[in-house]
Coordinates of all heavy atoms in Angstrom, one line a residue:
M1073 N 67.1 -47.1 6.0 CA 67.3 -48.2 6.8 C 68.5 -47.9 7.8 O 69.4 -47.3 7.4 CB 67.7 -49.4 6.0 CG 67.8 -50.7 6.8 SD 68.3 -52.2 5.8 CE 67.3 -52.1 4.4
Q1074 N 68.3 -48.2 9.1 CA 69.3 -48.0 10.1 C 70.5 -48.8 9.8 O 70.4 -50.0 9.3 CB 68.8 -48.4 11.5 CG 67.5 -47.5 11.9 CD 67.9 -46.1 12.1 OE1 69.0 -45.8 12.6 NE2 67.0 -45.2 11.8
P1075 N 71.7 -48.3 10.1 CA 72.9 -49.1 9.8 C 72.9 -50.5 10.4 O 73.3 -51.5 9.8 CB 74.1 -48.3 10.4 CG 73.5 -46.9 10.4 CD 72.0 -47.0 10.6
D1076 N 72.5 -50.7 11.7 CA 72.4 -52.0 12.3 C 71.5 -52.9 11.6 O 71.8 -54.1 11.4 CB 72.0 -51.9 13.8 CG 73.1 -51.3 14.7 OD1 74.2 -51.2 14.2 OD2 72.8 -51.0 15.8
A1077 N 70.3 -52.4 11.2 CA 69.3 -53.2 10.4 C 69.9 -53.6 9.1 O 69.7 -54.7 8.6 CB 68.1 -52.4 10.2
K1078 N 70.7 -52.7 8.5 CA 71.3 -53.1 7.2 C 72.3 -54.2 7.4 O 72.4 -55.1 6.5 CB 72.0 -51.8 6.6 CG 72.2 -51.9 5.1 CD 72.6 -50.6 4.6 CE 72.7 -50.7 3.1 NZ 72.7 -49.4 2.4
I1079 N 73.1 -54.1 8.4 CA 74.1 -55.2 8.7 C 73.4 -56.5 8.9 O 73.8 -57.5 8.3 CB 75.0 -54.8 9.9 CG1 75.9 -53.6 9.5 CG2 75.8 -56.0 10.4 CD1 76.6 -53.0 10.7
M1080 N 72.3 -56.5 9.7 CA 71.6 -57.7 10.0 C 70.9 -58.3 8.7 O 71.0 -59.5 8.5 CB 70.5 -57.5 11.1 CG 71.0 -57.2 12.5 SD 72.1 -58.5 13.1 CE 71.0 -59.8 13.2
A1081 N 70.4 -57.4 7.9 CA 69.8 -57.8 6.7 C 70.8 -58.4 5.7 O 70.5 -59.3 4.9 CB 69.1 -56.7 6.0
G1082 N 72.1 -58.0 5.9 CA 73.2 -58.6 5.1 C 73.5 -60.0 5.5 O 74.2 -60.7 4.8
L1083 N 73.1 -60.3 6.7 CA 73.5 -61.6 7.3 C 72.3 -62.6 7.2 O 72.5 -63.8 7.0 CB 73.8 -61.5 8.8 CG 75.1 -60.7 9.1 CD1 75.2 -60.4 10.6 CD2 76.3 -61.3 8.5
K1084 N 71.1 -62.0 7.2 CA 69.9 -62.9 7.2 C 69.6 -63.4 5.8 O 69.8 -62.7 4.8 CB 68.7 -62.1 7.7 CG 68.7 -61.9 9.2 CD 67.4 -61.2 9.6 CE 67.4 -60.9 11.1 NZ 66.2 -60.2 11.6
P1085 N 69.0 -64.6 5.7 CA 68.7 -65.1 4.4 C 67.4 -64.5 3.8 O 66.5 -64.2 4.6 CB 68.5 -66.6 4.6 CG 68.1 -66.7 6.1 CD 68.8 -65.6 6.8
G1086 N 67.4 -64.3 2.5 CA 66.2 -63.9 1.8 C 65.6 -65.1 1.1 O 64.4 -65.3 1.0
C1087 N 66.5 -65.8 0.5 CA 66.2 -67.1 -0.2 C 67.2 -68.1 0.2 O 68.4 -68.0 -0.2 CB 66.2 -66.8 -1.7 SG 66.3 -68.2 -2.8
I1088 N 66.8 -69.1 0.9 CA 67.8 -70.0 1.4 C 68.2 -71.0 0.4 O 69.3 -71.5 0.4 CB 67.3 -70.7 2.7 CG1 66.0 -71.5 2.4 CG2 67.2 -69.8 3.9 CD1 65.6 -72.4 3.6
C1089 N 67.4 -71.2 -0.6 CA 67.7 -72.2 -1.6 C 68.7 -71.7 -2.6 O 69.5 -72.5 -3.2 CB 66.5 -72.8 -2.3 SG 65.3 -71.7 -2.8
K1090 N 68.8 -70.4 -2.8 CA 69.8 -69.8 -3.7 C 70.8 -69.0 -3.0 O 71.7 -68.4 -3.7 CB 69.1 -69.0 -4.8 CG 68.2 -69.9 -5.7 CD 67.5 -69.1 -6.7 CE 68.4 -68.6 -7.9 NZ 67.7 -67.9 -8.9
G1091 N 70.7 -68.9 -1.7 CA 71.7 -68.1 -0.9 C 71.6 -66.6 -1.1 O 72.7 -65.9 -1.0
I1092 N 70.5 -66.1 -1.4 CA 70.3 -64.7 -1.6 C 69.9 -64.0 -0.3 O 69.0 -64.5 0.4 CB 69.2 -64.4 -2.7 CG1 69.7 -65.0 -4.0 CG2 68.9 -62.9 -2.8 CD1 68.6 -65.0 -5.0
K1093 N 70.7 -63.0 0.1 CA 70.5 -62.4 1.4 C 69.3 -61.4 1.4 O 68.9 -60.9 0.4 CB 71.8 -61.6 1.8 CG 73.0 -62.4 2.0 CD 72.8 -63.4 3.1 CE 74.1 -64.2 3.3 NZ 73.9 -65.3 4.2
L1094 N 68.8 -61.2 2.6 CA 67.6 -60.4 2.8 C 67.9 -59.0 2.3 O 67.0 -58.3 1.7 CB 67.2 -60.3 4.3 CG 66.1 -59.5 4.7 CD1 64.8 -60.0 4.1 CD2 65.9 -59.5 6.2
I1095 N 69.1 -58.5 2.5 CA 69.4 -57.1 2.0 C 69.1 -56.9 0.5 O 68.7 -55.9 0.1 CB 70.9 -56.8 2.4 CG1 71.2 -55.3 2.1 CG2 71.9 -57.6 1.6 CD1 70.6 -54.4 3.2
R1096 N 69.3 -58.0 -0.3 CA 69.1 -57.8 -1.7 C 67.6 -57.6 -2.0 O 67.2 -56.9 -2.9 CB 69.6 -59.1 -2.5 CG 71.0 -59.4 -2.3 CD 71.9 -59.1 -3.6 NE 71.2 -59.1 -4.8 CZ 71.2 -60.1 -5.7 NH1 71.7 -61.3 -5.3 NH2 70.6 -60.0 -6.8
L1097 N 66.7 -58.3 -1.2 CA 65.3 -58.1 -1.4 C 64.9 -56.7 -0.9 O 64.1 -56.0 -1.6 CB 64.5 -59.1 -0.5 CG 64.9 -60.6 -0.6 CD1 64.0 -61.5 0.2 CD2 64.9 -61.0 -2.1
L1098 N 65.5 -56.2 0.2 CA 65.1 -54.9 0.7 C 65.6 -53.8 -0.3 O 64.9 -52.8 -0.5 CB 65.8 -54.7 2.1 CG 65.2 -55.6 3.2 CD1 66.0 -55.4 4.4 CD2 63.7 -55.2 3.4
E1099 N 66.8 -54.0 -0.9 CA 67.3 -53.1 -1.9 C 66.4 -53.0 -3.1 O 66.2 -51.9 -3.6 CB 68.8 -53.4 -2.2 CG 69.7 -53.1 -1.1 CD 71.1 -53.7 -1.4 OE1 71.3 -54.5 -2.3 OE2 72.0 -53.3 -0.6
A1100 N 65.9 -54.2 -3.5 CA 65.1 -54.2 -4.7 C 63.8 -53.4 -4.4 O 63.3 -52.7 -5.3 CB 64.7 -55.7 -5.1
I1101 N 63.2 -53.6 -3.2 CA 62.0 -52.9 -2.8 C 62.3 -51.4 -2.7 O 61.5 -50.5 -3.2 CB 61.4 -53.4 -1.5 CG1 60.9 -54.9 -1.8 CG2 60.3 -52.6 -0.9 CD1 60.6 -55.6 -0.5
E1102 N 63.4 -51.0 -2.1 CA 63.8 -49.6 -2.1 C 64.0 -49.0 -3.4 O 63.7 -47.8 -3.6 CB 65.2 -49.4 -1.3 CG 65.0 -49.4 0.2 CD 66.4 -49.2 0.9 OE1 67.4 -48.9 0.2 OE2 66.4 -49.5 2.1
Q1103 N 64.4 -49.8 -4.4 CA 64.6 -49.3 -5.8 C 63.3 -49.3 -6.6 O 63.3 -49.0 -7.8 CB 65.6 -50.1 -6.5 CG 67.0 -49.9 -5.9 CD 68.0 -51.0 -6.3 OE1 67.7 -51.8 -7.2 NE2 69.2 -51.0 -5.7
G1104 N 62.1 -49.7 -5.9 CA 60.9 -49.5 -6.6 C 60.1 -50.8 -6.9 O 59.0 -50.8 -7.4
A1105 N 60.7 -52.0 -6.6 CA 60.0 -53.2 -6.9 C 58.8 -53.3 -5.9 O 59.0 -53.2 -4.7 CB 60.9 -54.4 -6.7
D1106 N 57.6 -53.4 -6.4 CA 56.4 -53.3 -5.6 C 55.5 -54.5 -5.7 O 54.3 -54.5 -5.4 CB 55.6 -52.0 -5.9 CG 55.2 -51.9 -7.3 OD1 55.5 -52.8 -8.1 OD2 54.5 -50.9 -7.7
S1107 N 56.1 -55.6 -6.2 CA 55.4 -56.9 -6.3 C 56.4 -58.0 -6.2 O 57.6 -57.8 -6.4 CB 54.6 -57.0 -7.6 OG 55.6 -57.1 -8.7
F1108 N 55.9 -59.2 -5.9 CA 56.8 -60.4 -5.8 C 57.5 -60.6 -7.2 O 58.7 -60.8 -7.2 CB 56.0 -61.6 -5.5 CG 56.9 -62.9 -5.5 CD1 57.8 -63.1 -4.4 CD2 56.9 -63.8 -6.5 CE1 58.6 -64.2 -4.4 CE2 57.7 -64.9 -6.5 CZ 58.6 -65.1 -5.5
E1109 N 56.8 -60.4 -8.3 CA 57.4 -60.6 -9.6 C 58.6 -59.7 -9.8 O 59.6 -60.0 -10.4 CB 56.3 -60.5 -10.7 CG 55.3 -61.6 -10.7 CD 54.3 -61.5 -9.6 OE1 54.1 -60.4 -9.0 OE2 53.6 -62.5 -9.3
K1110 N 58.4 -58.4 -9.4 CA 59.4 -57.4 -9.7 C 60.6 -57.7 -8.8 O 61.8 -57.5 -9.2 CB 58.9 -56.0 -9.4 CG 57.9 -55.6 -10.5 CD 57.4 -54.2 -10.2 CE 56.3 -53.8 -11.3 NZ 55.7 -52.5 -10.9
V1111 N 60.4 -58.1 -7.5 CA 61.5 -58.4 -6.6 C 62.2 -59.6 -7.1 O 63.4 -59.6 -7.2 CB 61.0 -58.6 -5.1 CG1 62.1 -59.2 -4.2 CG2 60.4 -57.4 -4.6
A1112 N 61.4 -60.6 -7.6 CA 62.1 -61.8 -8.2 C 62.9 -61.5 -9.4 O 64.0 -62.0 -9.6 CB 61.0 -62.8 -8.5
G1113 N 62.4 -60.6 -10.2 CA 63.1 -60.2 -11.4 C 64.4 -59.5 -11.1 O 65.4 -59.6 -11.8
K1114 N 64.5 -58.7 -10.0 CA 65.7 -58.0 -9.7 C 66.7 -58.8 -8.9 O 67.8 -58.5 -8.9 CB 65.3 -56.7 -8.8 CG 64.7 -55.6 -9.6 CD 64.4 -54.4 -8.7 CE 63.9 -53.2 -9.4 NZ 64.9 -52.3 -9.8
T1115 N 66.2 -59.9 -8.2 CA 67.0 -60.6 -7.3 C 67.3 -62.0 -7.6 O 68.3 -62.6 -7.2 CB 66.4 -60.6 -5.8 OG1 65.2 -61.3 -5.9 CG2 66.2 -59.2 -5.3
G1116 N 66.4 -62.6 -8.4 CA 66.6 -64.0 -8.8 C 65.9 -65.0 -7.8 O 65.9 -66.2 -8.0
I1117 N 65.1 -64.5 -6.8 CA 64.4 -65.4 -6.0 C 63.2 -65.9 -6.7 O 62.7 -65.4 -7.7 CB 63.9 -64.7 -4.6 CG1 62.9 -63.6 -4.9 CG2 65.1 -64.3 -3.8 CD1 62.2 -63.2 -3.7
G1118 N 62.6 -67.0 -6.1 CA 61.3 -67.5 -6.7 C 61.5 -68.7 -7.6 O 60.6 -69.4 -7.8
D1119 N 62.7 -68.8 -8.2 CA 62.9 -70.0 -9.1 C 63.8 -71.0 -8.5 O 64.4 -71.8 -9.3 CB 63.2 -69.5 -10.5 CG 64.5 -68.7 -10.5 OD1 65.1 -68.5 -9.5 OD2 65.0 -68.4 -11.6
G1120 N 64.0 -70.9 -7.2 CA 64.9 -71.9 -6.6 C 64.0 -73.2 -6.3 O 62.9 -73.3 -6.8
S1121 N 64.5 -74.0 -5.4 CA 63.8 -75.3 -5.1 C 62.4 -75.0 -4.4 O 61.6 -75.9 -4.5 CB 64.7 -76.1 -4.2 OG 64.9 -75.5 -3.0
C1122 N 62.2 -73.9 -3.8 CA 60.9 -73.7 -3.2 C 59.8 -73.2 -4.2 O 58.7 -73.2 -3.9 CB 61.0 -72.6 -2.0 SG 60.7 -70.9 -2.5
N1123 N 60.3 -72.9 -5.4 CA 59.4 -72.4 -6.4 C 58.5 -71.2 -5.9 O 57.3 -71.1 -6.3 CB 58.5 -73.5 -7.0 CG 59.3 -74.4 -7.9 OD1 60.1 -73.9 -8.6 ND2 59.0 -75.7 -7.8
G1124 N 59.0 -70.4 -5.0 CA 58.3 -69.2 -4.6 C 57.4 -69.5 -3.4 O 56.8 -68.5 -2.9
E1125 N 57.3 -70.7 -2.9 CA 56.4 -71.0 -1.8 C 56.9 -70.3 -0.5 O 56.1 -69.8 0.3 CB 56.2 -72.5 -1.6 CG 55.2 -73.1 -2.5 CD 54.9 -74.5 -2.2 OE1 54.8 -74.8 -1.0 OE2 54.7 -75.3 -3.1
R1126 N 58.2 -70.4 -0.2 CA 58.7 -69.8 1.0 C 58.9 -68.3 0.8 O 58.5 -67.5 1.6 CB 60.1 -70.4 1.3 CG 60.2 -71.3 2.5 CD 61.6 -71.7 2.8 NE 62.5 -71.9 1.7 CZ 62.8 -73.1 1.3 NH1 62.4 -74.2 1.9 NH2 63.6 -73.3 0.3
C1127 N 59.6 -67.9 -0.2 CA 60.0 -66.5 -0.4 C 58.8 -65.6 -0.8 O 58.9 -64.4 -0.5 CB 61.1 -66.4 -1.4 SG 60.9 -67.3 -2.9
S1128 N 57.8 -66.1 -1.3 CA 56.7 -65.2 -1.7 C 56.0 -64.6 -0.5 O 55.6 -63.4 -0.4 CB 55.6 -65.9 -2.6 OG 55.0 -67.0 -1.9
A1129 N 55.9 -65.4 0.6 CA 55.3 -64.9 1.9 C 56.3 -63.9 2.5 O 55.8 -62.9 3.0 CB 55.1 -66.1 2.8
K1130 N 57.6 -64.2 2.4 CA 58.5 -63.2 3.0 C 58.5 -61.9 2.2 O 58.4 -60.8 2.8 CB 59.9 -63.8 2.9 CG 61.0 -62.9 3.5 CD 62.4 -63.6 3.5 CE 62.4 -64.7 4.5 NZ 63.8 -65.3 4.6
V1131 N 58.4 -62.0 0.9 CA 58.4 -60.7 0.1 C 57.1 -60.0 0.3 O 57.1 -58.8 0.5 CB 58.6 -61.0 -1.4 CG1 58.3 -59.8 -2.3 CG2 60.0 -61.5 -1.6
A1132 N 56.0 -60.7 0.5 CA 54.7 -60.1 0.7 C 54.7 -59.3 2.1 O 54.3 -58.2 2.1 CB 53.6 -61.1 0.8
A1133 N 55.4 -59.9 3.1 CA 55.5 -59.2 4.4 C 56.4 -58.0 4.2 O 56.1 -56.9 4.8 CB 56.1 -60.2 5.4
L1134 N 57.5 -58.1 3.5 CA 58.4 -56.9 3.3 C 57.7 -55.8 2.5 O 57.8 -54.6 2.9 CB 59.6 -57.4 2.5 CG 60.6 -58.3 3.3 CD1 61.7 -58.8 2.3 CD2 61.2 -57.7 4.5
L1135 N 56.9 -56.2 1.5 CA 56.2 -55.1 0.8 C 55.1 -54.5 1.6 O 55.0 -53.2 1.6 CB 55.5 -55.8 -0.5 CG 56.5 -56.2 -1.6 CD1 55.7 -57.0 -2.6 CD2 57.2 -55.0 -2.2
K1136 N 54.4 -55.2 2.5 CA 53.4 -54.7 3.4 C 54.1 -53.7 4.3 O 53.6 -52.6 4.6 CB 52.7 -55.8 4.1 CG 51.5 -55.4 4.9 CD 50.8 -56.6 5.5 CE 49.7 -56.2 6.4 NZ 49.0 -57.3 7.0
E1137 N 55.2 -54.1 4.9 CA 55.9 -53.3 5.9 C 56.4 -52.0 5.2 O 56.4 -50.9 5.7 CB 57.1 -54.1 6.5 CG 57.8 -53.3 7.6 CD 56.9 -53.0 8.8 OE1 56.0 -53.8 9.1 OE2 57.1 -51.9 9.4
N1138 N 56.9 -52.1 4.0 CA 57.4 -51.0 3.2 C 56.3 -50.0 2.9 O 56.5 -48.8 3.0 CB 58.0 -51.4 1.9 CG 58.7 -50.3 1.2 OD1 59.6 -49.7 1.7 ND2 58.3 -50.1 -0.1
K1139 N 55.1 -50.5 2.6 CA 53.9 -49.6 2.4 C 53.6 -48.8 3.7 O 53.3 -47.7 3.7 CB 52.7 -50.4 1.9 CG 52.7 -50.6 0.5 CD 51.4 -51.3 0.1 CE 51.5 -51.7 -1.4 NZ 50.3 -52.4 -1.8
K1140 N 53.6 -49.5 4.8 CA 53.3 -48.9 6.1 C 54.3 -47.8 6.4 O 54.0 -46.7 6.8 CB 53.4 -49.9 7.3 CG 52.2 -50.7 7.4 CD 52.3 -51.6 8.7 CE 51.4 -52.7 8.8 NZ 51.8 -53.6 9.9
T1141 N 55.6 -48.1 6.2 CA 56.7 -47.1 6.4 C 56.5 -45.9 5.5 O 56.6 -44.8 5.9 CB 58.1 -47.8 6.2 OG1 58.1 -48.9 7.1 CG2 59.2 -46.8 6.5
A1142 N 56.2 -46.2 4.2 CA 56.0 -45.1 3.3 C 54.9 -44.2 3.7 O 54.9 -43.0 3.6 CB 55.8 -45.7 1.9
K1143 N 53.8 -44.8 4.2 CA 52.6 -44.1 4.6 C 52.9 -43.2 5.8 O 52.5 -42.1 5.9 CB 51.5 -45.1 4.9 CG 50.1 -44.4 5.0 CD 49.0 -45.5 5.1 CE 47.7 -44.9 5.2 NZ 46.6 -45.9 5.2
K1144 N 53.7 -43.8 6.8 CA 54.1 -43.0 8.0 C 54.9 -41.8 7.6 O 54.7 -40.7 8.0 CB 54.9 -43.9 8.9 CG 54.1 -44.7 9.9 CD 55.0 -45.4 10.8 CE 54.3 -46.6 11.5 NZ 55.3 -47.4 12.3
L1145 N 55.9 -42.1 6.7 CA 56.8 -41.0 6.3 C 56.0 -39.9 5.5 O 56.2 -38.7 5.7 CB 57.9 -41.5 5.4 CG 58.9 -42.4 6.1 CD1 59.9 -43.0 5.0 CD2 59.7 -41.6 7.1
S1146 N 55.0 -40.3 4.7 CA 54.2 -39.4 4.0 C 53.4 -38.5 5.0 O 53.3 -37.3 4.8 CB 53.3 -40.1 3.0 OG 52.4 -39.2 2.4
T1147 N 52.8 -39.2 6.0 CA 52.0 -38.4 7.0 C 52.9 -37.5 7.7 O 52.5 -36.3 8.0 CB 51.4 -39.4 7.9 OG1 50.6 -40.3 7.2 CG2 50.5 -38.7 9.0
K1148 N 54.1 -37.9 8.2 CA 55.0 -37.1 8.9 C 55.4 -35.9 8.0 O 55.5 -34.8 8.5 CB 56.3 -37.8 9.3 CG 56.1 -38.7 10.5 CD 57.4 -39.3 11.0 CE 57.3 -40.1 12.2 NZ 58.5 -40.8 12.6
S1149 N 55.7 -36.1 6.7 CA 56.1 -35.1 5.8 C 55.0 -34.1 5.7 O 55.2 -32.8 5.7 CB 56.4 -35.7 4.5 OG 56.7 -34.7 3.5
K1150 N 53.7 -34.5 5.6 CA 52.6 -33.6 5.4 C 52.4 -32.8 6.7 O 52.1 -31.6 6.6 CB 51.3 -34.4 5.1 CG 51.2 -34.9 3.7 CD 50.0 -35.7 3.5 CE 50.0 -36.3 2.1 NZ 48.9 -37.3 2.0
M1151 N 52.6 -33.4 7.9 CA 52.5 -32.7 9.1 C 53.6 -31.7 9.3 O 53.3 -30.5 9.7 CB 52.5 -33.7 10.3 CG 51.3 -34.6 10.4 SD 51.4 -35.9 11.6 CE 51.6 -35.0 13.1
A1152 N 54.8 -32.0 8.9 CA 55.9 -31.0 8.9 C 55.6 -29.9 8.0 O 55.9 -28.7 8.3 CB 57.2 -31.7 8.6
Q1153 N 55.1 -30.2 6.8 CA 54.8 -29.1 5.8 C 53.7 -28.2 6.4 O 53.8 -27.0 6.3 CB 54.3 -29.7 4.5 CG 54.0 -28.7 3.4 CD 55.2 -27.9 3.1 OE1 56.3 -28.4 2.9 NE2 55.1 -26.6 2.9
H1154 N 52.7 -28.8 7.0 CA 51.6 -28.0 7.6 C 52.1 -27.1 8.7 O 51.8 -25.9 8.8 CB 50.5 -29.0 8.2 CG 49.3 -28.3 8.8 ND1 48.4 -27.6 8.0 CD2 48.9 -28.2 10.0 CE1 47.5 -27.1 8.8 NE2 47.8 -27.5 10.1
K1155 N 53.0 -27.7 9.6 CA 53.6 -26.9 10.6 C 54.4 -25.7 10.1 O 54.3 -24.6 10.6 CB 54.5 -27.8 11.5 CG 55.0 -27.2 12.8 CD 55.8 -28.2 13.6 CE 56.3 -27.6 14.8 NZ 57.1 -28.6 15.6
N1156 N 55.2 -26.0 9.0 CA 56.0 -24.9 8.4 C 55.1 -23.8 7.8 O 55.4 -22.7 7.9 CB 56.9 -25.5 7.3 CG 58.1 -26.2 7.8 OD1 58.4 -26.1 9.0 ND2 58.7 -27.1 7.0
D1157 N 54.0 -24.3 7.2 CA 53.1 -23.3 6.6 C 52.5 -22.4 7.7 O 52.4 -21.2 7.6 CB 51.9 -24.0 5.9 CG 52.4 -24.7 4.6 OD1 53.5 -24.4 4.2 OD2 51.6 -25.5 4.0
N1158 N 52.1 -23.0 8.8 CA 51.5 -22.3 10.0 C 52.6 -21.3 10.5 O 52.2 -20.2 10.8 CB 51.1 -23.2 11.1 CG 49.8 -23.9 10.7 OD1 49.1 -23.4 9.8 ND2 49.4 -24.9 11.5
N1159 N 53.8 -21.7 10.7 CA 54.9 -20.9 11.2 C 55.1 -19.7 10.2 O 55.3 -18.6 10.7 CB 56.2 -21.7 11.4 CG 56.1 -22.6 12.6 OD1 55.2 -22.4 13.5 ND2 57.0 -23.5 12.7
S1160 N 55.1 -20.0 8.9 CA 55.3 -18.9 8.0 C 54.2 -17.9 8.1 O 54.4 -16.7 8.0 CB 55.3 -19.5 6.5 OG 56.4 -20.3 6.4
Q1161 N 53.0 -18.3 8.3 CA 51.8 -17.4 8.3 C 51.9 -16.6 9.6 O 51.5 -15.4 9.6 CB 50.5 -18.2 8.3 CG 50.2 -18.7 6.9 CD 49.0 -19.5 6.9 OE1 48.4 -19.9 7.9 NE2 48.5 -19.9 5.7
Q1162 N 52.4 -17.1 10.7 CA 52.5 -16.4 12.0 C 53.5 -15.4 11.9 O 53.5 -14.3 12.6 CB 52.7 -17.4 13.1 CG 51.5 -18.2 13.5 CD 51.8 -19.3 14.6 OE1 53.0 -19.4 15.0 NE2 50.8 -20.0 15.0
E1163 N 54.6 -15.6 11.1 CA 55.7 -14.6 11.0 C 55.3 -13.4 10.2 O 55.9 -12.4 10.3 CB 56.9 -15.3 10.4 CG 57.5 -16.3 11.3 CD 58.6 -17.2 10.6 OE1 59.0 -16.9 9.4 OE2 59.2 -18.1 11.2
K1164 N 54.3 -13.5 9.4 CA 53.9 -12.4 8.6 C 53.1 -11.4 9.3 O 52.5 -11.5 10.3 CB 53.0 -12.9 7.4 CG 53.8 -13.7 6.4 CD 53.0 -14.2 5.2 CE 53.8 -15.0 4.3 NZ 53.0 -15.6 3.2
Ligands
FES2610 S1 63.3 -69.3 -1.0 FE1 64.6 -69.6 -2.7 S2 63.3 -69.5 -4.4 FE2 62.0 -69.2 -2.7

């Protein structure tokens, strides 16, 4: 996460009824939480006054975005590996 994005996520709400910042949700996802239940278990969201109605949509969007980012990084990594392999073969 970019430093500016991290600062903003520290200011934005993740759960307004319990005062949990967005950064806590993002950190939980970065640490491997891949479902609403897991994010809720790590952060405490979902059992506030909204009973998960507000925050479940937010977490679903964050998880979806995280999957897209992971897929992009995986593709870039594979492309870089392929390029390195090609360069190694040309040097021989
Ligand atoms: S926004 Fe607080 S529990 Fe859902």
Side-chain angles (χ1 to χ4, degrees):
M1073 186 184 316
Q1074 299 293 324
D1076 286 349
K1078 197 167 189 168
I1079 290 169
M1080 291 306 292
L1083 298 171
K1084 288 183 178 178
C1087 162
I1088 58 172
C1089 42
K1090 293 179 76 176
I1092 297 169
K1093 298 295 182 190
L1094 179 63
I1095 189 75
R1096 298 254 336 266
L1097 309 184
L1098 294 172
E1099 287 170 348
I1101 292 169
E1102 277 181 12
Q1103 292 166 7
D1106 58 0
S1107 67
F1108 176 75
E1109 291 75 17
K1110 289 179 185 174
V1111 173
K1114 285 181 177 267
T1115 62
I1117 64 162
D1119 61 356
S1121 61
C1122 92
N1123 286 322
E1125 281 189 36
R1126 249 188 324 255
C1127 49
S1128 62
K1130 182 177 288 187
V1131 169
L1134 294 173
L1135 290 170
K1136 188 175 176 182
E1137 187 60 37
N1138 188 54
K1139 276 186 185 173
K1140 279 186 198 170
T1141 303
K1143 196 172 181 178
K1144 274 186 198 170
L1145 291 175
S1146 173
T1147 303
K1148 279 185 181 178
S1149 174
K1150 285 178 187 170
M1151 289 172 64
Q1153 182 62 43
H1154 182 70
K1155 190 175 178 181
N1156 286 341
D1157 290 347
N1158 284 344
N1159 287 342
S1160 296
Q1161 288 176 350
Q1162 288 176 353
E1163 291 172 3
K1164 291 181 183 175

